[in-house]
Amino acid sequence: MNDSSTPRHTPRTTAGARTTTEAGTTAGSRTTDSRTPGRRTVLRTLALAGVLAGTTISALPPTAVAATGAPETYTLTIRHLDRAGAATGGYRTHVTGISGPGAQEEAAPYDESGTVTVRLPKGRYLLDSTLYGPDPATGTDWVVQPRLDLDGDTTVTVDARTTAPVDVRPPESGARYLNSIGFVEVTHEGTTRSANVMMAREGLRVAHLGPASEPGTVKEWFDTYWSGARADYALGYTFTSDRALTGLVRHPAAEKLATVKIRGAAPEGATGTGFVSVQPSAGPTVGLAQSLESPATATVLVTPERGLWDVDYTGPAAPEAPPNRYSASGIAVHAGATTTRTFDNAVFGPALDTTPGARPAGVRDGDRIALDIPLLADGDGHAPSAPRFRTATTTLHRDGVLIGTRQGDPGRAEFTTTPGTASYRLTVSATRGDGTAASGRVTASWTFTSAAAPRPEALPLSVVRFAPDLALDGTAPAGTLVRVPVTVQGAAAETGVRSLAVSLSADNGTTWTRVPVLNGQAGFRTPAPGRTVSLRAELTDARGNTLTQTQRNAFRTR
């Protein structure tokens, strides 16, 4: 697989965070390591606080402070020592207010002598310092003091000799180090502040400085990324304590890691270069990104200790066309187990977001009816950012009378109706494809009863998902008995299914044959090679709402 990169298309924002690279400089939302050809790291967007680099914040003299009623201030002196115990000007230090009168203060004082002073209001502060020598190959020291109570003139010594190595590496001895990030969050009196350090080479050493904080108020994590011969590695560990870490050693065995396989498909023969990124779900981090020549599979081994994981896939794009991006968030992983996610493969069709608290696909708000349903989600149910379609139409009928017709994005439309109770028929359709080849049509039609309500209400919409086991070119073997998983999403999944019928067509919908559905699977024999299979679902939920869903040319045989 060729190595490359792609930015995350849904960045997270974390307030009060600041990024420090291995050279000790303040960085923006993304950092690229140009010394790692063909691959870069992607840092989730951080809301950077306004750092006053190289300046000193001064305050009024004590007598003037009392006269004006301004907060009491004290002098903070910071001494910096290198690994030999000598004063050094190779540092970048930040002091960030957490609570008390100085809660909103932030300073990055500097003096080349290695000793610097700054005058700050009384309060609790987070101090972190990155020390580096003239040769980057000698490594970097990161010293964190999560609790600095400034209640009088104070001197702090940041000493590189107190640090211990961060040694986190995969079980593959020949794996190549890519990058890593250390991140610390400190909470006091309901306010959280954070700092981090990014490394584009090995050699990080870390240490805690100062007294312990309150139990459980210091959260820290380290994520490191490696490239191996048969797989890549994303190794992350989190810690909650009253202190920052002094050193970290983790050499996980292969059986302690979870395997994530990302399959990029080419269901209509359109090969090309896509991109894959993998990163922990929780907190700002650097993500592992690589190119993927579809159809192909990327393999990443991850640490279950880091929690849930996110995968993004960007498919190949035609010239001057927007790339099609998919996301799978909050993936649970387990040591010794393999999780597989397939992107951009058939069967394309409607899908609903089943995440608790997700916005409904259809909403009635007074006289307004709004629909936003991914009509061309891929076979695993991932919604595309730029669905490939030729035409898309949505119509709404009230008591048999046409309210309106909308054209544009598949599955998106708004209508204005009248308050009283009435029977509605809502129909959405889209012709798939990029204009170079016909690739099928998806249609969903719902009937339901609705009236204006005091507050917005979800429309009782359901969809049916078909998930055949297909090759990455979107095909199934010809003349084979297959059992296709059938899943109901939406209102019928909540209130119950009164009836569900599935039909198959091998002649592009000219004729249909009812197929049995047993134990959540539709069983049928695939047609001759080179033919297409069309699928239809007719559903009635327990309250009488109906769905007729048709997916012409859903997949092909080989």
Side-chain angles (χ1 to χ4, degrees), residues 41-62:
T41 64
V42 183
L43 176 66
R44 293 184 185 167
T45 301
L46 304 176
L48 302 179
V51 178
L52 302 178
T55 64
T56 300
I57 299 177
S58 59
L60 295 173

PDB file of all heavy atoms in Angstrom, residues 41-62:
ATOM      1  N   THR A  41       0.689  13.037   9.688  1.00  0.00           N
ATOM      2  CA  THR A  41      -0.240  12.832  10.773  1.00  0.00           C
ATOM      3  C   THR A  41      -1.264  13.936  10.763  1.00  0.00           C
ATOM      4  O   THR A  41      -1.012  15.030  10.283  1.00  0.00           O
ATOM      5  CB  THR A  41       0.495  12.846  12.129  1.00  0.00           C
ATOM      6  OG1 THR A  41       1.043  14.132  12.314  1.00  0.00           O
ATOM      7  CG2 THR A  41       1.598  11.799  12.153  1.00  0.00           C
ATOM      8  N   VAL A  42      -2.409  13.621  11.324  1.00  0.00           N
ATOM      9  CA  VAL A  42      -3.501  14.581  11.335  1.00  0.00           C
ATOM     10  C   VAL A  42      -3.911  14.821  12.773  1.00  0.00           C
ATOM     11  O   VAL A  42      -4.340  13.919  13.456  1.00  0.00           O
ATOM     12  CB  VAL A  42      -4.696  14.033  10.528  1.00  0.00           C
ATOM     13  CG1 VAL A  42      -5.805  15.058  10.476  1.00  0.00           C
ATOM     14  CG2 VAL A  42      -4.246  13.672   9.113  1.00  0.00           C
ATOM     15  N   LEU A  43      -3.740  16.026  13.256  1.00  0.00           N
ATOM     16  CA  LEU A  43      -4.133  16.392  14.616  1.00  0.00           C
ATOM     17  C   LEU A  43      -5.532  16.958  14.584  1.00  0.00           C
ATOM     18  O   LEU A  43      -5.811  17.879  13.841  1.00  0.00           O
ATOM     19  CB  LEU A  43      -3.165  17.420  15.189  1.00  0.00           C
ATOM     20  CG  LEU A  43      -3.523  17.960  16.586  1.00  0.00           C
ATOM     21  CD1 LEU A  43      -3.404  16.817  17.596  1.00  0.00           C
ATOM     22  CD2 LEU A  43      -2.602  19.091  16.969  1.00  0.00           C
ATOM     23  N   ARG A  44      -6.404  16.396  15.401  1.00  0.00           N
ATOM     24  CA  ARG A  44      -7.749  16.946  15.483  1.00  0.00           C
ATOM     25  C   ARG A  44      -7.681  18.393  15.919  1.00  0.00           C
ATOM     26  O   ARG A  44      -6.854  18.803  16.710  1.00  0.00           O
ATOM     27  CB  ARG A  44      -8.567  16.138  16.486  1.00  0.00           C
ATOM     28  CG  ARG A  44      -8.798  14.729  15.986  1.00  0.00           C
ATOM     29  CD  ARG A  44      -9.677  13.981  16.936  1.00  0.00           C
ATOM     30  NE  ARG A  44      -9.782  12.603  16.471  1.00  0.00           N
ATOM     31  CZ  ARG A  44     -10.279  11.628  17.194  1.00  0.00           C
ATOM     32  NH1 ARG A  44     -10.714  11.855  18.393  1.00  0.00           N
ATOM     33  NH2 ARG A  44     -10.352  10.423  16.704  1.00  0.00           N
ATOM     34  N   THR A  45      -8.589  19.186  15.390  1.00  0.00           N
ATOM     35  CA  THR A  45      -8.548  20.634  15.602  1.00  0.00           C
ATOM     36  C   THR A  45      -8.573  20.969  17.082  1.00  0.00           C
ATOM     37  O   THR A  45      -9.384  20.472  17.830  1.00  0.00           O
ATOM     38  CB  THR A  45      -9.758  21.285  14.914  1.00  0.00           C
ATOM     39  OG1 THR A  45      -9.687  20.967  13.536  1.00  0.00           O
ATOM     40  CG2 THR A  45      -9.738  22.782  15.102  1.00  0.00           C
ATOM     41  N   LEU A  46      -7.654  21.831  17.488  1.00  0.00           N
ATOM     42  CA  LEU A  46      -7.604  22.292  18.856  1.00  0.00           C
ATOM     43  C   LEU A  46      -7.879  23.783  18.886  1.00  0.00           C
ATOM     44  O   LEU A  46      -7.345  24.535  18.084  1.00  0.00           O
ATOM     45  CB  LEU A  46      -6.209  22.041  19.454  1.00  0.00           C
ATOM     46  CG  LEU A  46      -5.714  20.589  19.407  1.00  0.00           C
ATOM     47  CD1 LEU A  46      -4.292  20.525  19.944  1.00  0.00           C
ATOM     48  CD2 LEU A  46      -6.616  19.707  20.230  1.00  0.00           C
ATOM     49  N   ALA A  47      -8.713  24.217  19.815  1.00  0.00           N
ATOM     50  CA  ALA A  47      -8.942  25.659  19.976  1.00  0.00           C
ATOM     51  C   ALA A  47      -7.780  26.206  20.787  1.00  0.00           C
ATOM     52  O   ALA A  47      -7.668  26.013  21.983  1.00  0.00           O
ATOM     53  CB  ALA A  47     -10.261  25.897  20.704  1.00  0.00           C
ATOM     54  N   LEU A  48      -6.872  26.873  20.101  1.00  0.00           N
ATOM     55  CA  LEU A  48      -5.638  27.307  20.735  1.00  0.00           C
ATOM     56  C   LEU A  48      -5.873  28.574  21.558  1.00  0.00           C
ATOM     57  O   LEU A  48      -6.447  29.545  21.089  1.00  0.00           O
ATOM     58  CB  LEU A  48      -4.568  27.566  19.674  1.00  0.00           C
ATOM     59  CG  LEU A  48      -4.243  26.370  18.770  1.00  0.00           C
ATOM     60  CD1 LEU A  48      -3.191  26.770  17.766  1.00  0.00           C
ATOM     61  CD2 LEU A  48      -3.761  25.217  19.613  1.00  0.00           C
ATOM     62  N   ALA A  49      -5.405  28.544  22.794  1.00  0.00           N
ATOM     63  CA  ALA A  49      -5.490  29.742  23.622  1.00  0.00           C
ATOM     64  C   ALA A  49      -4.480  30.757  23.134  1.00  0.00           C
ATOM     65  O   ALA A  49      -3.502  30.428  22.473  1.00  0.00           O
ATOM     66  CB  ALA A  49      -5.231  29.382  25.084  1.00  0.00           C
ATOM     67  N   GLY A  50      -4.699  32.033  23.465  1.00  0.00           N
ATOM     68  CA  GLY A  50      -3.793  33.075  22.996  1.00  0.00           C
ATOM     69  C   GLY A  50      -2.526  33.086  23.819  1.00  0.00           C
ATOM     70  O   GLY A  50      -2.470  33.612  24.916  1.00  0.00           O
ATOM     71  N   VAL A  51      -1.462  32.493  23.310  1.00  0.00           N
ATOM     72  CA  VAL A  51      -0.205  32.398  24.038  1.00  0.00           C
ATOM     73  C   VAL A  51       0.639  33.628  23.740  1.00  0.00           C
ATOM     74  O   VAL A  51       0.883  33.946  22.577  1.00  0.00           O
ATOM     75  CB  VAL A  51       0.561  31.119  23.632  1.00  0.00           C
ATOM     76  CG1 VAL A  51       1.892  31.047  24.362  1.00  0.00           C
ATOM     77  CG2 VAL A  51      -0.285  29.899  23.925  1.00  0.00           C
ATOM     78  N   LEU A  52       1.111  34.275  24.771  1.00  0.00           N
ATOM     79  CA  LEU A  52       1.963  35.447  24.607  1.00  0.00           C
ATOM     80  C   LEU A  52       3.410  34.979  24.621  1.00  0.00           C
ATOM     81  O   LEU A  52       4.098  35.005  25.646  1.00  0.00           O
ATOM     82  CB  LEU A  52       1.707  36.447  25.728  1.00  0.00           C
ATOM     83  CG  LEU A  52       0.250  36.923  25.828  1.00  0.00           C
ATOM     84  CD1 LEU A  52       0.106  37.865  27.005  1.00  0.00           C
ATOM     85  CD2 LEU A  52      -0.167  37.582  24.538  1.00  0.00           C
ATOM     86  N   ALA A  53       3.885  34.474  23.460  1.00  0.00           N
ATOM     87  CA  ALA A  53       5.203  33.848  23.394  1.00  0.00           C
ATOM     88  C   ALA A  53       6.291  34.880  23.610  1.00  0.00           C
ATOM     89  O   ALA A  53       6.302  35.938  23.002  1.00  0.00           O
ATOM     90  CB  ALA A  53       5.387  33.176  22.033  1.00  0.00           C
ATOM     91  N   GLY A  54       7.241  34.506  24.493  1.00  0.00           N
ATOM     92  CA  GLY A  54       8.429  35.328  24.699  1.00  0.00           C
ATOM     93  C   GLY A  54       8.169  36.651  25.388  1.00  0.00           C
ATOM     94  O   GLY A  54       8.993  37.554  25.322  1.00  0.00           O
ATOM     95  N   THR A  55       7.022  36.820  26.035  1.00  0.00           N
ATOM     96  CA  THR A  55       6.732  38.081  26.705  1.00  0.00           C
ATOM     97  C   THR A  55       6.528  37.827  28.192  1.00  0.00           C
ATOM     98  O   THR A  55       6.322  36.709  28.635  1.00  0.00           O
ATOM     99  CB  THR A  55       5.471  38.740  26.147  1.00  0.00           C
ATOM    100  OG1 THR A  55       4.349  37.898  26.426  1.00  0.00           O
ATOM    101  CG2 THR A  55       5.584  38.939  24.654  1.00  0.00           C
ATOM    102  N   THR A  56       6.567  38.874  28.956  1.00  0.00           N
ATOM    103  CA  THR A  56       6.335  38.782  30.387  1.00  0.00           C
ATOM    104  C   THR A  56       5.107  39.596  30.744  1.00  0.00           C
ATOM    105  O   THR A  56       4.968  40.746  30.345  1.00  0.00           O
ATOM    106  CB  THR A  56       7.547  39.324  31.173  1.00  0.00           C
ATOM    107  OG1 THR A  56       8.696  38.548  30.847  1.00  0.00           O
ATOM    108  CG2 THR A  56       7.300  39.244  32.671  1.00  0.00           C
ATOM    109  N   ILE A  57       4.202  38.962  31.495  1.00  0.00           N
ATOM    110  CA  ILE A  57       3.007  39.656  31.959  1.00  0.00           C
ATOM    111  C   ILE A  57       3.351  40.335  33.284  1.00  0.00           C
ATOM    112  O   ILE A  57       3.743  39.677  34.244  1.00  0.00           O
ATOM    113  CB  ILE A  57       1.837  38.682  32.133  1.00  0.00           C
ATOM    114  CG1 ILE A  57       1.506  38.029  30.784  1.00  0.00           C
ATOM    115  CG2 ILE A  57       0.622  39.378  32.703  1.00  0.00           C
ATOM    116  CD1 ILE A  57       0.408  37.012  30.876  1.00  0.00           C
ATOM    117  N   SER A  58       3.231  41.618  33.323  1.00  0.00           N
ATOM    118  CA  SER A  58       3.561  42.350  34.543  1.00  0.00           C
ATOM    119  C   SER A  58       2.290  42.885  35.171  1.00  0.00           C
ATOM    120  O   SER A  58       1.251  42.976  34.538  1.00  0.00           O
ATOM    121  CB  SER A  58       4.515  43.501  34.227  1.00  0.00           C
ATOM    122  OG  SER A  58       3.925  44.378  33.300  1.00  0.00           O
ATOM    123  N   ALA A  59       2.404  43.221  36.435  1.00  0.00           N
ATOM    124  CA  ALA A  59       1.253  43.760  37.166  1.00  0.00           C
ATOM    125  C   ALA A  59       1.672  45.029  37.889  1.00  0.00           C
ATOM    126  O   ALA A  59       2.853  45.380  37.970  1.00  0.00           O
ATOM    127  CB  ALA A  59       0.740  42.735  38.176  1.00  0.00           C
ATOM    128  N   LEU A  60       0.674  45.720  38.420  1.00  0.00           N
ATOM    129  CA  LEU A  60       0.969  46.927  39.191  1.00  0.00           C
ATOM    130  C   LEU A  60       1.729  46.557  40.458  1.00  0.00           C
ATOM    131  O   LEU A  60       1.626  45.448  40.964  1.00  0.00           O
ATOM    132  CB  LEU A  60      -0.351  47.621  39.553  1.00  0.00           C
ATOM    133  CG  LEU A  60      -1.167  48.163  38.375  1.00  0.00           C
ATOM    134  CD1 LEU A  60      -2.494  48.662  38.899  1.00  0.00           C
ATOM    135  CD2 LEU A  60      -0.416  49.276  37.673  1.00  0.00           C
ATOM    136  N   PRO A  61       2.520  47.478  40.984  1.00  0.00           N
ATOM    137  CA  PRO A  61       3.181  47.210  42.268  1.00  0.00           C
ATOM    138  C   PRO A  61       2.141  46.926  43.333  1.00  0.00           C
ATOM    139  O   PRO A  61       0.977  47.333  43.225  1.00  0.00           O
ATOM    140  CB  PRO A  61       3.937  48.512  42.562  1.00  0.00           C
ATOM    141  CG  PRO A  61       3.926  49.287  41.299  1.00  0.00           C
ATOM    142  CD  PRO A  61       2.826  48.805  40.450  1.00  0.00           C
ATOM    143  N   PRO A  62       2.534  46.234  44.416  1.00  0.00           N
ATOM    144  CA  PRO A  62       1.561  45.869  45.456  1.00  0.00           C
ATOM    145  C   PRO A  62       0.768  47.041  45.994  1.00  0.00           C
ATOM    146  O   PRO A  62      -0.419  46.919  46.259  1.00  0.00           O
ATOM    147  CB  PRO A  62       2.451  45.234  46.544  1.00  0.00           C
ATOM    148  CG  PRO A  62       3.653  44.712  45.793  1.00  0.00           C
ATOM    149  CD  PRO A  62       3.866  45.702  44.678  1.00  0.00           C
TER     150      PRO A  62
END
